[in-house]
Amino acid sequence: MSVAIPPRPPIKSTEVFKKDIFEGKVLFCTGGPSGICKAMTKSIMSHGADAIIIGRKVDKGEAAAKELSNATGQRCVFAQADVREPEQLKAAAKKCIDTFGKIDFVICGAAGNFLAPISGLSENAFATVVRIDTLGTFNTIKATLPHVRRTRGSYIHVSATLHYYGTPYQAHVSAAKAGVDALSNVLAVEEGPRGVRSNVIAPGPILGTEGMDRLTPVGKKDAITRSVPLQRQGGLDDVPNTAVFLFSEAANWVTGQIIAVDGGAMHTNKGSLPYPDSVLDPEGATKSIRAKM
């Protein structure tokens, strides 16, 4: 009888990297008040950086900034901005410069998503996700690049693995994230001679995130876990560990890369979303399935 080998648990970056590797550095993070981006911000700050987090909701953002400051002992401030609005992002970048004097690292992480088949997806809904994810990434680059050039800094763009295979009900975000990947690659080539690096992190199934809570089909979490070669879903420390590496000097010759942080799931995923009978009406027309999934 074979004995099951338990998966390796997530570990914190402070157990691997020196705590002061980002001392004196400044992080600019869109989507920072919550989820994976908040976790990445916390890890970067835990290694000595100060940060500004950008979001639309003031109460949520200010609470997150206070929490991150208290947890790490570093300074974190909040700037209200919608990534779809270039002038608001420029104002956020100015606030960062006025507060900290520079920008070393940028995480482009603002995103939007829901479940809907192409036949039930409106043009406006599709465009909204593209505006948040792809155009929002472009706007963030434009607002921060003059400052990042001065520090010879680095970008991390948060993508996904959905568009590496045909994921049903995710045409909008798949198209948007493919654009994010392309922007990062071009940025790496154009800005490399100036010492600026740009990479993509593509998270797989990460527990404790709004995306997994909203998009995982009911009763499918165990099946998803079994399909991951490393036999567990990701934790909120897994993606930040990769971010710490990519921003560190250990990665100073790594740029233009797309790194899937998914336990190998992209190689075994067969489109894990189901085709429930409730999606099809008697005429066979597909309906939106945003709710309950």
Side-chain angles (χ1 to χ4, degrees):
M1 178 183 294
S2 62
V3 178
I5 299 174
R8 292 180 178 180
I11 63 171
K12 295 186 180 299
S13 61
T14 49
E15 297 179 40
V16 178
F17 297 91
K18 293 181 179 179
K19 285 195 172 185
D20 62 352
I21 58 174
F22 297 141
E23 184 176 354
K25 302 294 186 180
V26 176
L27 168 68
F28 183 101
C29 180
T30 64
S34 64
I36 290 174
C37 291
K38 182 180 178 182
M40 285 193 286
T41 300
K42 183 178 179 180
S43 283
I44 303 303
M45 292 178 65
S46 295
H47 291 278
D50 294 319
I52 184 167
I53 55 175
I54 291 84
R56 290 186 296 164
K57 298 179 180 179
V58 175
D59 291 347
K60 182 178 180 180
E62 291 182 345
K66 183 177 180 179
E67 177 188 340
L68 289 166
S69 294
N70 291 339
T72 64
Q74 297 296 128
R75 295 178 65 195
C76 184
V77 298
F78 170 72
Q80 183 184 26
D82 185 328
V83 296
R84 293 169 291 185
E85 302 296 335
E87 295 306 315
Q88 292 183 21
L89 277 172
K90 291 176 184 177
K94 182 178 184 303
K95 181 174 181 177
C96 187
I97 297 301
D98 291 344
T99 304
F100 299 115
K102 62 175 182 170
I103 300 174
D104 296 283
F105 306 139
V106 177
I107 294 175
C108 300
N113 197 8
F114 51 86
L115 289 172
I118 292 175
S119 60
L121 184 64
S122 72
E123 292 83 353
N124 183 62
F126 184 93
T128 295
V129 173
V130 172
R131 282 195 294 267
I132 295 171
D133 289 52
T134 314
L135 184 58
T137 295
F138 174 79
N139 290 339
T140 303
I141 293 169
K142 291 285 286 184
T144 58
L145 186 56
H147 310 293
V148 176
R149 282 176 172 174
R150 295 188 187 102
T151 59
R152 301 180 71 188
S154 181
Y155 286 84
I156 289 176
H157 310 274
V158 182
S159 185
T161 60
L162 302 168
H163 54 293
Y164 304 144
Y165 41 84
T167 303
Y169 316 133
Q170 294 285 268
H172 44 308
V173 74
S174 294
K177 293 303 190 184
V180 169
D181 290 0
L183 278 171
S184 177
N185 291 342
V186 174
L187 182 64
V189 172
E190 290 186 356
E191 295 298 322
R194 296 184 176 91
V196 174
R197 297 186 297 114
S198 178
N199 292 289
V200 168
I201 291 178
I206 306 294
L207 294 172
T209 62
E210 184 178 354
M212 281 299 292
D213 291 342
R214 292 177 57 195
L215 303 180
T216 301
V218 176
K220 292 291 181 178
K221 287 186 178 181
D222 289 343
I224 292 173
T225 300
R226 289 193 299 272
S227 73
V228 177
L230 289 182
Q231 293 298 286
R232 68 170 174 86
Q233 295 189 47
L236 279 178
D237 287 321
D238 287 308
V239 175
N241 289 344
T242 303
V244 170
F245 164 70
L246 288 174
F247 280 149
S248 77
E249 283 301 304
N252 69 11
W253 211 50
V254 178
T255 194
Q257 301 304 305
I258 299 169
I259 301 178
V261 183
D262 70 341
M266 64 179 288
H267 298 295
T268 57
N269 192 296
K270 297 179 175 61
S272 61
L273 297 177
Y275 296 90
D277 293 338
S278 59
V279 173
L280 302 177
D281 65 19
E283 286 74 38
T286 313
K287 301 175 182 178
S288 173
I289 53 169
R290 295 189 194 187
K292 298 182 180 179
M293 297 291 286

